Amino acid sequence: MDGAARARQHGAMVSAAGNRLPHPDSAHPASLPARDTRAAEPAIVPSGSIVETDIPARLDALPFGRFHLLVIVALGITWILDGLEVTLAGSLSGELKQSAGLSLSNAEVGLAGSCYLAGAVLGAFLFGWLTDRLGRKKLFTVTLVVYLLATAATGLSWNFCSFALFRFFTGAGIGGEYTAINSTIQELIPARLRGWTDLVINGSFWLGAAMGAGGSIVLLDPAFIDPAIGWRLAFLIGAIIGLVIVMMRLWIPESPRWLVTHGRAQAAERIVSGIEARFSGSLRRGAWIETDDGGAHKRVRLRPRDHTPLREVAQALFVTFRRRTLVGLSLMIAQAFFYNAIFFTYALVLTDFYGAPADQVGWYILPFAAGNVLGPLLLGRLFDTVGRRIMITSTYALSGILLAATAYLFSNDLLSAQQLTAAWMIVFFFASAAASSAYLTVSEIFPLELRALAIAFFYAIGTGAGGIAGPLLFGMLIDTGSRASIAVGYCIGAALMAAAAAAQAIWGVAAERKPLEAVSRPLAFID
């Protein structure tokens, strides 16, 4: 079929969509096609009505274009901000221990990191619950504002308690961002590109890490600025970036998938039609993605609901999808401990065991961050082609093996500071792709109605078990002054990664290139 014919066919489908005969099983007067744009249709479909829609299929059929790039940039900035926050805390830890900073001890530095993660856990739960009830767009605006205010306040801290408190609220904003943003991205990106896109976005955490490392080098250099002021200004970097992103997000629509399941078929239709209009040039050039039935998009029927009771969420997580829940927990706990335990205390290892000056730590983090960015970027497409199960299993297993090898070399004092950094670059090339795939997994293998809360659950449990405990444990291990003790901590992380690889190999879901509705059927569907 040539481009002109496809355009005529698509135009006929759109214009006739509202006049189609109802499904034989949907003869009830309240049954409404989602694309029916008659004025008589209510803004919100009454409870118990049946909606017929092809919106999920239309979103997956879109060619990749500028709209998707806007979504990726405006929403994916969350990971850059998180990377910035985590790196600043790590890079500045040496300065925070000085009298010009807050005179923090190693234990207090670790505890402040744990406060940030504790805030992220509680924020994920609270904002994840609200995201599923109130919508994706409202919450990814609220969470960004919370982050902006809290990170700016961190630069005004006057003692350990105030610093820890502001770090807690900064984490709450970031944790809420993870739930709202992951849900939105999954529901707007075409299925055939979902894996690569998600991995690249999660890997962008390390662009923020590089920014934080580079910023700390300048702001802690006495030749440029007094370090007593520089560490405070460093926390304003994220707030400045966030202000720009607030404006960009005004152009991101609500998730049409969320709108349809909440009875707002008209609003969903307007949004999808508007997105399709942006690709009218691609349609004329014949770049539109073919559908399995020769042009007509697959339609589904559902009963909208205004919210999903928590008992149904628990039923889905712990009964219906209990094996998927086990896989998700394994992946999230392992990567959280692996990353947070090592990265939150990396600066302390450099200063305490290698004598690296506090204002030079950023130079070691820059190559470390480069390895983390390259992993998802270069391996990401394989998660959509080779497949989720093989790639997730292999990246987790390789990360564990390489970490164990690094632990052995470190414990025997066989690595210089530069060699340790090179080792981390190799380890985290694979570990970054593995960690990103954990977020991809938990955000695509559960029904739409509980997607944000499911992400919050796994993020919270993973971060609580692996992220909060990790920095505290490693902070104490570093205080012992023993390389062997720290190596034991590394081996714990390696064992967790190996266990997660085994769980994925046995129970992992082959979700590559499949619509979200095929990976996990929404609770509202009736066919």
Side-chain angles (χ1 to χ4, degrees):
M1 183 186 298
D2 61 23
R6 185 180 293 107
R8 289 193 297 271
Q9 182 184 45
H10 179 76
M13 180 185 68
V14 172
S15 63
N19 298 319
R20 286 182 179 145
L21 293 176
H23 190 284
D25 295 332
S26 61
H28 189 281
S31 178
L32 297 171
R35 300 186 69 183
D36 188 344
T37 56
R38 294 171 296 181
E41 182 180 353
I44 300 179
V45 177
S47 177
S49 302
I50 297 175
V51 170
E52 183 177 321
T53 181
D54 59 5
I55 281 176
R58 290 162 65 193
L59 288 171
D60 283 334
L62 289 171
F64 190 85
R66 282 182 292 180
F67 167 75
H68 298 107
L69 288 176
L70 174 62
V71 170
I72 290 171
V73 173
L75 299 184
I77 195 70
T78 293
W79 287 264
I80 294 179
L81 292 176
D82 192 19
L84 178 67
E85 287 298 322
V86 172
T87 308
L88 282 176
S91 299
L92 298 175
S93 59
E95 184 62 34
L96 293 172
K97 291 163 56 179
Q98 307 299 323
S99 58
L102 296 175
S103 300
L104 303 184
S105 65
N106 283 340
E108 287 175 332
V109 170
L111 182 57
S114 294
C115 286
Y116 173 84
L117 293 170
V121 167
L122 296 179
F125 267 125
L126 173 62
F127 293 122
W129 176 69
L130 291 174
T131 296
D132 280 332
R133 292 181 68 96
L134 304 180
R136 315 315 195 199
K137 185 177 177 68
K138 291 179 182 177
L139 268 296
F140 65 60
T141 301
V142 170
T143 53
L144 183 58
V145 171
V146 170
Y147 162 79
L148 288 175
L149 295 176
T151 193
T154 302
L156 303 177
S157 303
W158 56 91
N159 58 20
F160 167 71
C161 291
S162 61
F163 181 76
L165 178 65
F166 295 141
R167 294 300 292 164
F168 173 87
F169 283 110
T170 302
I174 289 293
E177 282 272 286
Y178 272 123
T179 59
I181 300 310
N182 267 303
S183 302
T184 308
I185 290 174
Q186 293 284 8
E187 293 163 16
L188 290 176
I189 298 296
R192 64 192 180 281
L193 300 171
R194 194 171 62 239
W196 178 80
T197 300
D198 199 275
L199 260 71
V200 170
I201 289 174
N202 278 279
S204 68
F205 172 100
W206 295 99
L207 293 177
M211 291 172 58
S216 68
I217 292 172
V218 175
L219 294 172
L220 294 181
D221 189 342
F224 290 97
I225 191 171
D226 183 355
I229 300 175
W231 74 264
R232 296 182 181 276
L233 294 178
F235 285 105
L236 296 178
I237 297 175
I240 294 171
I241 295 174
L243 285 174
V244 176
I245 299 305
V246 167
M247 302 305 297
M248 292 183 63
R249 287 188 179 178
L250 296 177
W251 300 97
I252 304 298
E254 179 58 87
S255 165
R257 283 177 158 108
W258 183 88
L259 288 169
V260 168
T261 59
H262 286 73
R264 302 176 186 178
Q266 277 188 327
E269 167 61 30
R270 286 194 298 270
I271 289 173
V272 175
S273 295
I275 296 173
E276 289 174 333
R278 301 188 185 199
F279 294 95
S280 58
S282 297
L283 179 60
R284 287 192 297 271
R285 292 191 301 270
W288 206 264
I289 302 300
E290 288 282 7
T291 55
D292 293 337
D293 51 4
H297 296 293
K298 180 180 180 180
R299 298 174 69 83
V300 295
R301 297 193 307 146
L302 55 90
R303 283 191 178 89
R305 49 174 67 189
D306 60 356
H307 72 283
T308 300
L310 290 178
R311 66 177 179 276
E312 289 192 39
V313 175
Q315 173 77 15
L317 289 175
F318 304 117
V319 179
T320 308
F321 301 109
R322 58 182 177 273
R323 286 186 176 178
R324 296 186 180 192
T325 297
L326 177 61
V327 171
L329 286 174
S330 300
L331 297 178
M332 291 296 287
I333 290 173
Q335 67 85 26
F337 184 93
F338 190 96
Y339 259 94
N340 293 309
I342 295 172
F343 191 62
F344 265 95
T345 54
Y346 184 37
L348 297 180
V349 170
L350 290 172
T351 55
D352 289 16
F353 287 89
Y354 293 99
D359 60 354
Q360 297 298 305
V361 168
W363 290 113
Y364 294 92
I365 293 178
L366 285 174
F368 183 96
N372 279 275
V373 172
L374 291 174
L377 186 64
L378 299 179
L379 300 177
R381 285 296 295 149
L382 299 178
F383 286 77
D384 284 323
T385 54
V386 174
R388 305 281 202 267
R389 181 174 292 173
I390 294 175
M391 289 305 300
I392 295 175
T393 300
S394 60
T395 52
Y396 266 81
L398 281 170
S399 299
I401 293 170
L402 292 172
L403 178 59
T406 303
Y408 171 79
L409 295 173
F410 176 80
S411 65
N412 288 280
D413 198 10
L414 298 176
L415 297 173
S416 66
Q418 292 77 16
Q419 291 170 334
L420 178 63
T421 299
W424 286 145
M425 285 182 65
I426 298 171
V427 171
F428 284 92
F429 175 85
F430 297 101
S432 182
S436 297
S437 70
Y439 289 96
L440 167 66
T441 299
V442 300
S443 59
E444 70 180 356
I445 63 174
F446 295 98
L448 180 147
E449 295 88 346
L450 55 98
R451 178 163 293 124
L453 195 53
I455 295 169
F457 170 76
F458 290 102
Y459 176 78
I461 299 299
T463 302
I468 296 177
L472 283 175
L473 172 62
F474 270 74
M476 292 185 291
L477 292 177
I478 290 171
D479 277 338
T480 66
S482 168
R483 287 176 175 268
S485 296
I486 298 174
V488 169
Y490 290 154
C491 288
I492 293 174
L496 289 173
M497 295 296 280
Q504 172 67 23
I506 298 171
W507 296 305
V509 178
E512 60 274 6
R513 305 180 70 87
K514 296 179 181 177
L516 290 172
E517 292 75 17
V519 176
S520 185
R521 181 176 179 273
L523 302 178
F525 277 24
I526 60 176
D527 291 331

